[in-house]
Amino acid sequence: MGARVYNEDPFKDLMNDNYFPLENMQRSVDILKASEHIHLPTLEYGQYHLILTSADKWPQGSAKYWHKEKGRARVDLSTQPNTVPLSKDEPGVIPLTRCDLLDACVRKCFNSEPPIPMKTNIITHKASDAFAHRHEIRLEWDYQNGEDKAPTLLHLTMVCPHRP
């Protein structure tokens, strides 16, 4: 299955409804806080998706592939060194790998007070891209008036490998 279902609008819209706008993100934080299956301070990317949206609501049965696809992305991103700080307001926090950076960004969103909304996007590498065979993450924070204070929104893009 790969990224095919995950990079289509029905999946992206369903997931983004959990994280944006702020009211929806707060609702998701409340659900996760009430769950016995998650610990927000140690949250990792991919752990919360099936808690926030039950498997029967995922398009085209995509929930049954989630753990495999998420695992592939985490393993791939764990091999990629990171040199980017977590955010402008935490320039000294530089997670070791791209997977660590992804987890730190997600934790920052869910654990901030108030939480920081996210907009997620899933795309697939073109065959001609450098490293088209690997996962990539693109993380961009929005800041109020461009200041270096706490961010107001995370744009999280997962780029999946090209698979012919």
Side-chain angles (χ1 to χ4, degrees):
M1 168 168 279
R4 286 175 182 84
V5 170
Y6 303 120
N7 66 8
E8 293 175 357
D9 286 340
F11 177 79
K12 291 189 278 191
D13 292 345
L14 183 69
M15 292 300 121
N16 280 323
D17 188 54
N18 289 319
Y19 322 126
F20 187 85
L22 176 58
E23 297 76 33
N24 294 18
M25 185 61 158
Q26 184 63 60
R27 181 190 67 221
S28 292
V29 168
D30 294 341
I31 291 168
L32 294 177
K33 282 182 178 177
S35 174
E36 297 176 3
H37 303 288
I38 208 87
H39 180 241
L40 279 179
T42 59
L43 183 75
E44 294 179 347
Y45 175 82
Q47 289 179 326
Y48 49 89
H49 294 83
L50 282 163
I51 295 171
L52 295 176
T53 304
S54 61
D56 62 322
K57 293 183 180 169
W58 289 44
Q60 301 176 42
S62 54
K64 70 180 178 178
Y65 303 102
W66 179 249
H67 289 295
K68 181 192 292 187
E69 294 301 327
K70 172 208 37 157
R72 285 182 184 152
R74 292 188 63 78
V75 166
D76 202 358
L77 293 168
S78 292
T79 67
Q80 300 173 28
N82 176 61
T83 58
V84 177
L86 174 58
S87 56
K88 287 182 184 178
D89 64 319
E90 295 187 75
V93 177
I94 303 174
L96 294 176
T97 69
R98 297 298 285 172
C99 190
D100 294 336
L101 177 62
L102 175 60
D103 289 341
C105 287
V106 166
R107 275 193 297 275
K108 184 175 183 79
C109 288
F110 282 102
N111 286 289
S112 291
E113 194 56 54
I116 301 167
M118 291 190 289
K119 286 188 179 179
T120 62
N121 190 19
I122 300 95
I123 60 175
T124 303
H125 276 295
K126 296 178 190 138
S128 59
D129 288 350
F131 304 108
H133 63 289
R134 300 183 76 175
H135 285 87
E136 175 189 347
I137 53 165
R138 299 174 187 163
L139 303 160
E140 297 175 39
W141 295 104
D142 284 353
Y143 297 87
Q144 188 169 345
N145 301 323
E147 296 179 8
D148 291 352
K149 295 181 180 168
T152 56
L153 178 67
L154 173 64
H155 299 272
L156 186 164
T157 300
M158 176 69 70
V159 186
C160 296
H162 172 76
R163 293 187 184 133

